[in-house]
Amino acid sequence: MAQNSFTQHCRQEADTTALAQKLASSLSHLFQADQTTHLNISLEGDLGAGKTTFARHLIQGLGYEGRVKSPTYTLCEPYPIQITNTKPPTTASITAHHFDFYRMRDPLEWQEAGFAEHFDEPGFCLVEWPEKAEGSLPAFDIEIHLISGDDENSRNISFKANSSQGTAVIENLQA
Ligand code: ADP
Ligand code: MG
């Protein structure tokens, strides 16, 4: 049966990195099958929980070789990503848009900044602090929650899928 949620304990940052890379691989399969699809993913948790760290390893896990910095001041950072398929040999271009809405002064600032169009472009949106948009964002296919554990480097990372695409991605993660 399709599992639409699961939690993993990450004892140290390397475990978080490995989990983000696993998600990258699962997303890559989805984009290989459909290069025009779009996914919305939220990253929730307190300051310092590891949202940006997770996003960085996810984006780099998909082959992006540049720096992935926190979008705290810009609200949005775009990352072009090439998804390559071996059979048949094809390359698709998608874009990961990484948002951080922590500093938004108004829940609709993201729309006024013209970011709404990114929410259905081929690729995916990763949103830190979605609650600052107060329900004005499109639905999330996958919600990721990061919670600090009982020591400095441990985290519990939970995934919840809200769509069939999201569920397929989460299922691959558990395999
Ligand atoms: P956020 O974006 O949630 O505010 P950051 O990713 O910017 O958090 O910061 C998380 C900090 O915690 C980083 O300095 C990172 O190195 C550290 N860290 C320690 N252990 C972990 C872990 N298991 N997973 C993620 N980050 C960790
Ligand atoms: Mg952050």
Side-chain angles (χ1 to χ4, degrees), residues 65-94:
E65 287 178 349
R67 212 177 134 224
V68 175
K69 55 180 187 186
S70 177
T72 312
Y73 294 96
T74 53
L75 293 188
C76 173
E77 292 289 338
Y79 298 98
I81 289 167
Q82 306 297 322
I83 301 284
T84 52
N85 209 348
T86 43
K87 273 187 197 169
T90 52
T91 303
S93 299
I94 63 158

Side-chain angles (χ1 to χ4, degrees), residues 47-48 50-53 70-72 98 100 128-129:
L47 279 176
K51 302 180 293 297
T52 300
T53 301
S70 177
T72 312
H98 181 196
D100 182 343
E128 296 186 40
W129 297 101

Side-chain angles (χ1 to χ4, degrees), residues 10-14 16 45-54 56 70 100 128-129 146 152-155 157:
C10 295
R11 206 166 44 83
Q12 54 195 13
E13 191 167 329
T16 301
D46 294 340
L47 279 176
K51 302 180 293 297
T52 300
T53 301
F54 189 92
R56 177 176 299 126
S70 177
D100 182 343
E128 296 186 40
W129 297 101
L146 296 96
E152 199 186 326
N153 296 320
S154 76
R155 305 286 188 274
I157 305 185

